[in-house]
Amino acid sequence: MDGIRAIAVLLVVLFHLNISLFRAGYVGVDIFFVVSGFLITTLVVEERQRSGRISLSAFWARRARRLLPALIVLLITVSLAAGLTGTASRRAGLRGDVLATTAYVANWRFIGTSSYFVNTGFESPLQHTWSLAIEEQFYLVWPLVAVLLLVVLGRSRRAIGVAAAVGAAVSVSLLAIRWSSTGVERAYMGTDARIFEPLIGALAAVLITEPWAVRFLSRHGRLMGIVGVLGIVAALILVGAHPKAYFDGGALLLSFMTTLVLFAMWRPHDGLVTSSLAWRPLVWIGVISYGIYLWHWPITLWLGARDPTANNLAVRRVAAVVLTIAVAGLSYVAVERPIRRGRWRLGAHTGVRAWSPRSVLIAVPVSLFAVACVGVVATRVPPVSSAPVVVMVTGDSVPKGLIPALEESHRSWRFLDAAFGGCPVSGEQPVDPAGNSWTWGRDCRGEVVSTQDRYLADADPDVVLWWDRASVSNFETTDGEIVLAGTPRYWHLRKLALDRTVRRLAAGGATVVLVSTEPVNANITPSPWGEFLVQRYGDVTSPWDAMLQSYAKRHPDLAVFLDIRPIVCHEVVSPCDDSINGVSARPHGVHYEGPGQDLAMQMLLPELDTVAAGSSQDSATEAGA
């Protein structure tokens, strides 16, 4: 079993290191989910058979001793590191991440704050805890269901299998339904769409108790192990070549193949699969796999080991792997194993025994509350009033992703994040021609304007940066009208919204910097929205940029226009060539990374400096008057 865990965690590590051969390595999480469901259900069923009862308090206490200590060390370390080195927005963002992680709801937080598959500039060192949240939610709910079926209703263990099968069928359907080409996070991280994997593991745990299954495994276990391994490899290749296949059955295939390997391991046979998974170095990796999973992601980020444009990238990657294994091993020896076994050895004869299950469960919320307090204190942000210049960033995920770089360039300034991926600055709801939302799971109308107004009232920004792509989308009005991009009705409403929004943003004296919407490049992810950005550049995006430029020219007291198109693109066509010494400024089509991020800073900073200087002069003139 440890060998299976090792394979899973190594796949995830290689995926996060951006190793092209393992671009589907994220399926290692799927393997973890199936194994967790299998083991947890096995423990519950065996306890019922052995003792005639199920102690939920003892079960949850064992899970807490196994999982919480190492996680607490990670959370404290990450919080302190952010407090010492993080910029204001990084500390503010991490505060919410710490709180969500301690509450084991990180998956729902990261659905709306980041992307697991595209670097949008905000890669939280706790982003990987989304999977821990789903597992913990399963650990809390599934044993209750099992107790209800086994004890309260007096049903056999087969009832658990039926419940698991029904739940898995519903969940895997939701995985396909929730998928959206413009945002896969809702499907990928949502508990409802991912719980089918531990439930398939639970179903497998019930099946292996059936006499017919035992006989079948005794005869065909070796073959099932081989089929399972080949199936996992096939699923990796399929998902790597066609990412959407993951949501259309690839994840389900992978889960079934994992159960075949589990069956073979449960009834071991001499053979290549079992002997390979029992290889001692692999087993050792599996033993410390939890620590490896916890620490590999923040270490990878801290060392810059996933940035394809980083210097000495191979050295960074090797260093990340070595340091991760070293820290995980230390965590296992010094923290995880002593607490899980219930004692710390003090010399040759002394030990400190573990608390009772009730005491452990009482200590859990106390410990998590203490960690949350540490996170809040460590990530405190100085008041906005202490900053000489305040810039409110509005728009979509592109300017949002550049906020850390902006902060690094102007440490004394404050950059307020009022940007929402997929949402226009004026707050309409982008939709496709049929009226389906292009911002899966996000209510632009309910979030964008309210956030902007809160910052305008509380922070009184000097500069507002307006930069988005969503303004060129079809949109739905508050009355439910679907307005198609490029129509006369669209241009009439866009003109009104532009004037209304600029005046609202500049009402306190701020200058609005209107940034042109540059063409995407050929790397844009294939999707209806990506096709729209490419095909409608000439008749929608380009006229929109002309409208922005004309507005700034007519209202120099409110706005300025920054045309970045000829700076980003060698020729202003769609899609455009934005390469810098052979490297794309936007590796995924839209978001600036590496040399592209440097280019973006070269474009933005002089304009922001000029506008901020003008704002300071105006303030000084008003103060003198």
Side-chain angles (χ1 to χ4, degrees), residues 448-606:
V448 174
V449 174
S450 61
T451 301
Q452 294 169 0
D453 287 346
R454 185 175 72 252
Y455 282 141
L456 290 171
D458 296 343
D460 190 22
D462 304 287
V463 182
V464 176
L465 182 67
W466 175 320
W467 188 6
D468 71 5
R469 267 130 294 279
S471 289
V472 303
S473 170
N474 317 305
F475 61 88
E476 181 180 2
T477 67
T478 55
D479 297 329
E481 177 188 2
I482 306 300
V483 180
L484 299 182
T487 62
R489 174 69 171 165
Y490 167 86
W491 290 118
H492 173 69
L493 294 179
R494 294 313 304 148
K495 183 178 180 180
L496 294 177
L498 173 61
D499 182 63
R500 180 178 63 250
T501 304
V502 169
R503 292 185 183 278
R504 177 172 57 82
L505 296 175
T511 299
V512 181
V513 178
L514 301 171
V515 182
S516 63
T517 303
E518 71 281 31
V520 299
N521 65 28
N523 297 328
I524 187 72
T525 302
S527 67
W529 174 234
E531 293 172 3
F532 178 95
L533 290 175
V534 173
Q535 298 172 2
R536 303 298 299 276
Y537 179 80
D539 68 323
V540 178
T541 307
S542 185
W544 167 249
D545 286 337
M547 181 182 288
L548 295 179
Q549 185 173 20
S550 176
Y551 185 90
K553 186 176 181 179
R554 296 196 312 272
H555 303 283
D557 56 324
L558 299 176
V560 298
F561 179 71
L562 174 59
D563 191 0
I564 65 172
R565 295 171 296 179
I567 304 174
V568 175
C569 300
H570 296 294
E571 293 184 28
V572 184
V573 295
S574 180
C576 81
D577 177 11
D578 60 5
S579 60
I580 304 172
N581 296 324
V583 178
S584 174
R586 299 166 294 170
H588 298 283
V590 175
H591 301 99
Y592 293 85
E593 299 180 34
Q597 188 174 91
D598 297 335
L599 176 64
M601 291 300 99
Q602 294 171 17
M603 296 184 297
L604 292 176
L605 292 177

Side-chain angles (χ1 to χ4, degrees), residues 125-299:
L126 296 177
Q127 185 171 314
H128 63 314
T129 62
W130 70 269
S131 65
L132 304 182
I134 291 179
E135 285 205 348
E136 189 65 21
Q137 292 158 23
F138 177 77
Y139 294 155
L140 287 174
V141 175
W142 182 243
L144 287 172
V145 174
V147 167
L148 179 67
L149 294 173
L150 288 175
V151 179
V152 178
L153 298 181
R155 300 296 179 88
S156 71
R157 62 181 179 272
R158 294 181 181 178
I160 296 179
V162 173
V166 173
V170 172
S171 177
V172 78
S173 300
L174 289 175
L175 179 70
I177 293 171
R178 300 282 191 205
W179 180 85
S180 168
S181 60
T182 58
V184 302
E185 283 70 28
R186 176 60 183 88
Y188 188 74
M189 295 185 183
T191 307
D192 54 350
R194 293 302 301 277
I195 206 66
F196 72 92
E197 289 164 325
L199 287 176
I200 287 176
L203 175 60
V206 172
L207 288 177
I208 63 169
T209 65
E210 296 292 330
W212 64 267
V214 173
R215 293 192 297 270
F216 186 85
L217 290 176
S218 298
R219 293 194 298 267
H220 306 291
R222 181 183 302 175
L223 177 61
M224 294 180 71
I226 295 173
V227 171
V229 169
L230 294 177
I232 290 174
V233 173
L236 273 167
I237 296 173
L238 173 66
V239 172
H242 307 284
K244 189 177 181 296
Y246 176 90
F247 301 90
D248 290 339
L252 182 63
L253 171 65
L254 183 77
S255 299
F256 282 136
M257 294 300 106
T258 302
T259 61
L260 294 184
V261 178
L262 290 174
F263 286 156
M265 296 297 295
W266 202 251
R267 293 287 175 180
H269 300 75
D270 293 333
L272 181 61
V273 173
T274 52
S275 61
S276 298
L277 291 176
W279 185 43
R280 294 191 63 140
L282 196 64
V283 170
W284 181 73
I285 292 293
V287 168
I288 63 171
S289 59
Y290 180 59
I292 290 176
Y293 186 82
L294 285 181
W295 287 99
H296 84 281
W297 177 250
I299 288 175

Side-chain angles (χ1 to χ4, degrees), residues 343-368:
R343 64 178 62 196
W344 284 277
R345 295 193 178 278
L346 308 175
H349 306 291
T350 308
V352 181
R353 293 192 174 276
W355 293 346
S356 66
R358 181 177 299 178
S359 299
V360 171
L361 295 180
I362 293 173
V364 167
V366 175
S367 301
L368 292 178

Side-chain angles (χ1 to χ4, degrees), residues 2-15:
D2 285 324
I4 298 175
R5 290 192 184 99
I7 296 296
V9 78
L10 290 174
L11 286 173
V12 174
V13 169
L14 293 171
F15 165 68

